[in-house]
Amino acid sequence: QITFGSIFLGNVPVHEEVHRCAGQIHGYKGCIRDFQVNNKELFIIDEALGGRNVENCNVPICDYHPCHNGGICTSDAENWFCECPKLYSGKLCQFATCDENPCGNGATCFPKSRRDAVCLCPYGRSGILCSDAINISQPSFSGTDVFGYTSFLAYSTIPDITFYYEFHLKFQLANHHSALQDNLIFFTGQKGQGLNGDDFLELGLRNGRVVYSYNLGSGTATIISKPLDLTLNIHVIHLGRYLQKGWLKVDDQKNKTVTSPGRLVGLNVFSQFYLGGYHEYTPELLPKGSRFKNGFQGCIFDVQVRTSTNQEFKSPGTPEGHPNSGRSVGQCKDSPCSLIKCRNGGKCIEGGSTVYCECLTGWKGAFCTETVSVCEPEHNPPHLCKQGGTCVPLPNGYTCHCPLGTTGTYCEQG
């Protein structure tokens, strides 16, 4: 038997004697990943006994100019973010903010107009201002809303998922065509966002079929089911993976298997486990090849996972079955619109636990009970005062008060 010393990656601890014998020694400068010894993957950071001056590879995400609406992209060796101008927010500065936030309990505020806001409710809350507590045993998801957000639940990272996992879950689709087209069921990733080459695990629907994908760091493996039998009210999915080999069984269809490319055998994911959607759902933030355009539309329930054949199946979360956060998730078959009465021809719109009134022209307010003044920006048609003229409402119509140097009915003359 021969005992070897340590393996040094990138550089060695240099002593004065080494300098005298070998001259100046220069360490490796660059990025190293997918380190294997005798076909066994070593996790560069997790299994290291020590090290110095090592940091994560700097991914130049800012080179792709991801920020919208004049946001400025800033990156360091670990992360990147967008510095948003006033009135915009979101990971990519893609959302307009609310000047005055009327929403409660940590809800996401979105401006429906310059004066009216919609409150996208967090997990466990519902109502116009998200002030009502609701109990959720079978969560319902509404996909991507008109404001660009998805409903979702986020659970703590599933431990010990590296080499083996099995998932069981059931789902019931919403009764419309878009629920089958391009919809995420669940996702977990290495950093929670889709930098190319990152490990990830994901399940979704595309063109009426279940799509199951994973990447262990050396290429994506994908299994696609046969088309779903839409006469079934509830669909059942069993899926799993051991090292490179994965399998998927949907309803009464035959079990299908796949083997991931390359030699890597470990799934290294550190992000939360997302169900139904994603926190800031921008498909570009998910791994290439798995960018489902919308969140799930319908109910997902009885989600169970185990990471060893000797374990019992358990619900995700810490404590078990409890999500860390969520948005616009309702109780299956419950309608928040049953508790809301929109006035003056307004229509109740619901998405999971989020609910609001869509008012007819000329009306505004949470329940469409306020008239829109002829001088307000929301009025259709808008007033015609020009060159800084001030619109003043009258019993019948309006008049324009013109600034110095202008005249005419609408201040249109110099």
Side-chain angles (χ1 to χ4, degrees):
Q1 292 184 347
I2 301 175
T3 303
F4 292 93
S6 300
I7 296 175
F8 296 99
L9 195 63
N11 202 352
V12 298
V14 179
H15 300 287
E16 187 177 350
E17 291 79 2
V18 177
H19 277 295
R20 285 202 299 265
C21 295
Q24 184 65 41
I25 293 179
H26 297 281
Y28 175 74
K29 186 176 182 180
C31 300
I32 298 175
R33 65 180 298 163
D34 302 342
F35 181 46
Q36 299 181 55
V37 176
N38 294 334
N39 292 331
K40 179 180 183 294
E41 181 182 7
L42 296 182
F43 303 125
I44 294 175
I45 299 300
D46 295 348
E47 297 188 34
L49 300 178
R52 184 171 62 232
N53 298 331
V54 177
E55 58 187 18
N56 274 339
C57 242
N58 183 17
V59 179
I61 193 74
C62 289
D63 291 352
Y64 298 97
H65 308 292
C67 307
H68 299 185
N69 298 306
I72 299 173
C73 185
T74 302
S75 65
D76 55 28
E78 180 66 24
N79 293 304
W80 64 275
F81 61 92
C82 295
E83 296 181 14
C84 300
K86 189 177 180 182
L87 299 181
Y88 292 95
S89 66
K91 178 76 175 178
L92 306 180
C93 307
Q94 72 270 44
F95 301 127
T97 60
C98 294
D99 293 333
E100 297 179 6
N101 187 354
C103 308
N105 299 297
T108 301
C109 180
F110 197 94
K112 186 172 63 169
S113 67
R114 293 192 183 184
R115 303 211 174 186
D116 288 341
V118 172
C119 300
L120 309 180
C121 295
Y123 176 73
R125 292 283 173 173
S126 185
I128 290 285
L129 299 178
C130 304
S131 55
D132 303 327
I134 58 171
N135 183 40
I136 299 174
S137 57
Q138 293 186 346
S140 67
F141 303 87
S142 53
T144 307
D145 62 28
V146 296
F147 311 111
Y149 287 92
T150 60
S151 55
F152 77 93
L153 290 176
Y155 296 87
S156 56
T157 303
I158 298 173
D160 305 321
I161 202 173
T162 305
F163 300 112
Y164 182 90
Y165 58 74
E166 283 185 84
F167 284 88
H168 292 176
L169 62 92
K170 300 176 183 177
F171 66 85
Q172 186 175 27
L173 291 167
N175 188 24
H176 42 82
H177 184 66
S178 62
L180 283 165
Q181 294 310 297
D182 207 352
N183 309 86
L184 183 71
I185 297 176
F186 70 62
F187 168 81
T188 184
Q190 196 157 19
K191 290 184 179 178
Q193 55 201 36
L195 304 178
N196 286 345
D198 277 1
D199 293 16
F200 70 86
L201 163 64
E202 156 240 49
L203 182 71
L205 294 169
R206 186 168 280 131
N207 297 324
R209 301 168 185 258
V210 175
V211 180
Y212 162 41
S213 296
Y214 57 91
N215 190 331
L216 308 181
S218 54
T220 300
T222 299
I223 303 177
I224 302 176
S225 76
K226 292 182 178 181
L228 291 172
D229 180 357
L230 299 183
T231 65
L232 297 175
N233 185 40
I234 294 177
H235 300 277
V236 180
I237 294 180
H238 295 172
L239 65 86
R241 181 190 64 86
Y242 174 59
L243 301 180
Q244 292 177 293
K245 185 176 181 180
W247 62 90
L248 169 69
K249 180 169 175 54
V250 177
D251 296 330
D252 293 328
Q253 299 179 18
K254 289 184 178 180
N255 191 58
K256 301 184 76 170
T257 62
V258 71
T259 300
S260 61
R263 296 182 176 181
L264 301 183
V265 297
L267 177 71
N268 304 307
V269 292
F270 316 122
S271 73
Q272 297 184 99
F273 178 76
Y274 291 94
L275 188 68
Y278 198 62
H279 183 261
E280 295 220 43
Y281 199 84
T282 304
E284 287 72 24
L285 296 180
L286 296 177
K288 191 174 182 180
S290 62
R291 293 172 181 170
F292 290 95
K293 294 179 182 177
N294 296 299
F296 186 78
Q297 298 175 43
C299 301
I300 303 176
F301 43 93
D302 295 347
V303 180
Q304 300 278 298
V305 61
R306 69 177 180 180
T307 54
S308 168
T309 55
N310 299 323
Q311 286 183 347
E312 296 289 329
F313 279 93
K314 293 183 177 180
S315 300
T318 306
E320 182 182 348
H322 290 263
N324 293 341
S325 61
R327 178 179 55 230
S328 297
V329 175
Q331 171 66 4
C332 195
K333 299 182 181 178
D334 280 0
S335 170
C337 277
S338 63
L339 304 175
I340 300 296
K341 187 163 182 65
C342 305
R343 306 290 181 177
N344 299 303
K347 180 182 178 182
C348 183
I349 305 295
E350 63 180 60
S353 61
T354 292
V355 60
Y356 62 94
C357 290
E358 192 173 75
C359 304
L360 292 179
T361 301
W363 298 95
K364 64 177 182 176
F367 299 97
C368 306
T369 54
E370 305 169 43
T371 57
V372 176
S373 164
V374 69
C375 288
E376 292 186 72
E378 294 86 1
H379 191 271
N380 188 16
H383 67 78
L384 300 177
C385 300
K386 302 183 182 302
Q387 302 190 79
T390 302
C391 177
V392 179
L394 299 173
N396 293 303
Y398 64 94
T399 186
C400 297
H401 285 185
C402 300
L404 186 65
T406 66
T407 187
T409 303
Y410 302 115
C411 313
E412 72 276 15
Q413 301 174 18

